[in-house]
Amino acid sequence: MTEQTETSQRPVLVVDFGAQYAQLIARRVREAGVYSEIVPHTATAAEIAAKSPVGIILSGGPSSVYEEGAPQLDTGVLELGVPTLGICYGFQVMAQQLGGEVAHTGLREYGATDAAVTGDGGVLLGGQPAEQNVWMSHGDQVSRAPDGFDVLASTSVTPVAAFGSDERRLYGVQWHPEVKHTDHGQRVIENFLHKAAGLAADWNSGNVIAEQVERIRAQVGSGRVISALSGGVDSAVSTALVHEAVGDQLTAIFVDHGLLRKGEREQVEQDYVASTGVRLITIDARERFLMALAGVSDPEQKRKIIGREFIRTFEEAEKALIAEAAADGEPIRFLVQGTLYPDVVESGGGSGTANIKSHHNVGGLPEDLQFELVEPLRTLFKDEVRAIGRELGLPEGIVGRQPFPGPGLGIRIVGEVTADRLEILRDADAIAREELTRAGLDNEIWQCPVVLLADVRSVGVQGDGRTYGHPIVLRPVSSEDAMTADWTRLPYDVLSKISNRITNEVREVNRVVLDVTSKPPGTIEWE
């Protein structure tokens, strides 16, 4: 299978030392108008040079440079002559390799910290306040900068909190400029990109569309394409982008697998088709999916079954389409999927990270897949996908829609998926969405999964009698790209309204609970 994972633009490479924020660094670089990719710290200097990077950023990480087995950087990377910025652990690795000193003093800095800029701050910190609040997370510290490097900032605990060499175009900061808790963090990244590395801010949605259209045409040629259209943002934008490239060669197939929320089928069949002109075929596969999921409670198994049945459904649709257009004689060889960069990363691809869960677009596909994948969004984050969708003219109701997993309500039922349980969850989910919209909170949360604990019964009192109903979990979260998230502090009156309506209007539900776990340690979805 061919994977569209590269761009003709030369990247800024983010070297991942196991940081929870590596993806966030890459996103911040793109926000500055520069294309970025993530590579593992195990990449050799030769492998990094082969990607022709225009800049390198060394991420933070949880290790100490003194620990046995701590992540290392190929010593040749800093000799490539590529502008490089070290952050936190990456800053310490850089200092150590360049001849500076990293000390384990027992003095730590975590969270908000006051930093003092030295002199004019140089290229990296120039134009910023002399005193500023930064976000720290370290136990070791750089006690002496490498020879030829200027100390650019310090704190009461850390004598060398930032350094730089304009001659070698090598820089580093002990704090995390990528997080919003750092007052001038994005300015640090932009100074490195635009001033130190001299890069133009020319990465934008228009360029992405033009480049992907060219790539799609080169990959597909005169071949016919089908699209896995779910109605979510990712599949909607990827389908529209492929349609922009190959027009009527594309047929969008919408599978009603019975795991949809209320009104989703109508939104796809009416609003989306009207805005794009894409040819759409709807397949009613509700019974098929329920039969395949019968008796299955394990979440990984459910994901793989849903992924498998999707593909099998498409293969059957392919046969029907070929029979319909027999005079054409052109086989359908390509399948469009809305895979995003976070999907790849969470499935263990792209950065050498652990497999958190198989993703329906990545780890859940059958090994005997008969289609060649077209994945025009595979290197993009969600906000970039939305920008592309708006550029393509998709309705805001689709582009601005909150994320919803491809496996649908199937992974929001903890336990076996049945028709009755789906109806319970569908009704509860619709109430929650309706009340959040009514309260004007849609733009304040990333998404609000509603989860049915199907294998749990709790005691309740309804209608002057004892009941043994299911609990419903509300999981409102705030996030920028789903790599990290925090639970959203919804107003109590809104939570009360949602709870009252669900327990009054949805059969077999007598308890509503609120999930107040951040990510990490919890994931956004329960399964």
Side-chain angles (χ1 to χ4, degrees):
M1 293 182 292
T2 299
E3 292 185 353
Q4 292 189 316
T5 59
E6 298 181 355
T7 169
S8 62
Q9 291 207 351
R10 295 172 60 191
V12 167
L13 295 181
V14 177
V15 179
D16 184 5
F17 285 102
Q20 62 174 318
Y21 295 133
Q23 291 78 33
L24 186 55
I25 296 171
R27 188 173 179 275
R28 295 292 185 237
V29 172
R30 296 186 187 191
E31 287 178 356
V34 179
Y35 178 66
S36 63
E37 294 179 5
I38 299 172
V39 295
H41 70 272
T42 53
T44 65
E47 290 170 336
I48 287 177
K51 290 181 172 289
S52 301
V54 291
I56 297 171
I57 298 180
L58 309 179
S59 85
S63 303
S64 164
V65 293
Y66 294 112
E67 289 178 0
E68 183 177 351
Q72 300 296 313
L73 178 71
D74 186 331
T75 55
V77 171
L78 298 180
E79 304 301 325
L80 294 175
V82 178
T84 301
L85 172 67
I87 294 174
C88 194
Y89 181 84
F91 170 60
Q92 295 174 4
V93 168
M94 177 185 285
Q96 189 179 59
Q97 288 195 3
L98 294 173
E101 292 182 1
V102 180
H104 186 69
T105 63
L107 299 175
R108 302 179 178 184
E109 289 178 314
Y110 293 104
T113 305
D114 291 328
V117 175
T118 304
D120 63 3
V123 173
L124 191 66
L125 305 181
Q128 299 180 31
E131 301 288 336
Q132 54 183 277
N133 189 264
V134 300
W135 193 260
M136 291 284 197
S137 181
H138 69 100
D140 297 341
Q141 59 181 256
V142 177
S143 57
R144 182 176 64 82
D147 292 342
F149 279 69
D150 297 321
V151 176
L152 303 179
S154 62
T155 73
S156 60
V157 169
T158 305
V160 184
F163 61 44
S165 169
D166 293 339
E167 179 182 355
R168 299 185 64 178
R169 296 193 296 176
L170 301 178
Y171 305 86
V173 293
Q174 181 61 69
W175 63 85
H176 288 274
E178 71 274 20
V179 302
K180 288 193 171 180
H181 305 296
T182 295
D183 289 345
H184 303 280
Q186 187 65 10
R187 182 71 178 275
V188 172
I189 293 173
E190 291 175 356
N191 280 355
F192 168 70
L193 297 171
H194 304 316
K195 295 182 178 179
L199 304 177
D202 56 5
W203 170 256
N204 55 59
S205 57
N207 289 344
V208 173
I209 291 171
E211 181 170 288
Q212 286 302 323
V213 164
E214 182 178 342
R215 284 181 172 274
I216 293 165
R217 288 173 178 168
Q219 180 186 5
V220 171
S222 61
R224 296 179 61 191
V225 191
I226 57 177
S227 173
L229 183 61
S230 70
V233 178
D234 307 339
S235 69
V237 174
S238 60
T239 299
L241 189 50
V242 174
H243 185 258
E244 180 81 6
V246 300
D248 292 341
Q249 292 171 237
L250 170 70
T251 299
I253 298 178
F254 174 65
V255 177
D256 183 353
H257 50 25
L259 310 175
L260 302 171
R261 296 186 292 186
K262 279 191 175 181
E264 288 189 311
R265 178 168 176 168
E266 292 75 16
Q267 184 184 49
V268 171
E269 291 180 327
Q270 299 170 19
D271 300 345
Y272 185 77
V273 171
S275 67
T276 62
V278 170
R279 182 193 180 198
L280 176 69
I281 294 176
T282 298
I283 299 175
D284 190 335
R286 289 174 290 184
E287 184 175 348
R288 173 180 187 152
F289 277 77
L290 279 175
M291 289 179 61
L293 290 167
V296 178
S297 296
D298 179 74
E300 275 293 286
Q301 191 177 355
K302 283 197 285 187
R303 285 178 178 273
K304 291 184 181 296
I305 288 172
I306 293 169
R308 181 194 70 205
E309 293 305 316
F310 253 105
I311 295 300
R312 297 297 176 244
T313 303
F314 282 118
E315 288 175 341
E316 294 172 9
E318 175 198 26
K319 295 176 183 178
L321 286 171
I322 289 176
E324 174 189 297
D328 181 313
E330 182 73 48
I332 299 175
R333 294 176 37 227
F334 301 96
L335 170 65
V336 180
Q337 284 206 123
T339 309
L340 303 192
Y341 203 21
D343 301 336
V344 178
V345 171
E346 288 211 344
S347 297
S351 65
T353 56
N355 189 331
I356 299 172
K357 60 187 177 185
S358 66
H359 191 274
H360 64 284
N361 282 347
V362 182
L365 297 178
E367 294 182 0
D368 60 342
L369 181 67
Q370 300 300 307
F371 301 111
E372 181 176 332
L373 294 181
V374 181
E375 298 177 293
L377 310 179
R378 191 178 173 92
T379 62
L380 303 179
F381 291 100
K382 180 74 75 172
D383 57 335
E384 295 169 327
V385 172
R386 295 189 197 278
I388 289 171
R390 293 183 178 99
E391 188 87 11
L392 290 170
L394 297 185
E396 187 60 31
I398 292 177
V399 176
R401 182 186 180 195
Q402 292 181 358
F404 185 64
L409 298 180
I411 59 168
R412 291 184 176 175
I413 294 177
V414 179
E416 181 185 3
V417 178
T418 68
D420 286 344
R421 290 174 172 182
L422 283 167
E423 282 306 308
I424 293 170
L425 181 54
R426 219 183 318 268
D427 289 342
D429 175 84
I431 290 171
R433 286 189 292 139
E434 181 179 324
E435 291 301 328
L436 290 173
T437 299
R438 182 175 296 166
L441 296 171
D442 287 340
N443 294 328
E444 294 186 22
I445 61 174
W446 172 264
Q447 60 174 305
C448 184
V450 177
V451 180
L452 173 65
L453 303 184
D455 288 343
V456 176
R457 291 279 183 171
S458 64
V459 179
V461 178
Q462 292 172 299
D464 296 324
R466 291 170 64 85
T467 61
Y468 294 91
H470 297 293
I472 283 286
V473 180
L474 302 180
R475 173 71 166 138
V477 295
S478 299
S479 180
E480 291 186 337
D481 50 29
M483 301 309 302
T484 60
D486 192 14
W487 66 280
T488 307
R489 278 66 169 172
L490 295 178
Y492 289 151
D493 60 336
V494 175
L495 290 172
S496 176
K497 182 70 172 179
I498 293 173
S499 177
N500 287 340
R501 284 196 57 193
I502 289 177
T503 54
N504 286 335
E505 299 175 28
V506 182
R507 62 184 179 87
E508 295 191 29
V509 173
N510 63 2
R511 192 178 300 271
V512 176
V513 299
L514 179 66
D515 183 344
V516 295
T517 313
S518 63
K519 175 187 178 181
T523 55
I524 292 177
E525 298 290 345
W526 272 49
E527 294 205 336

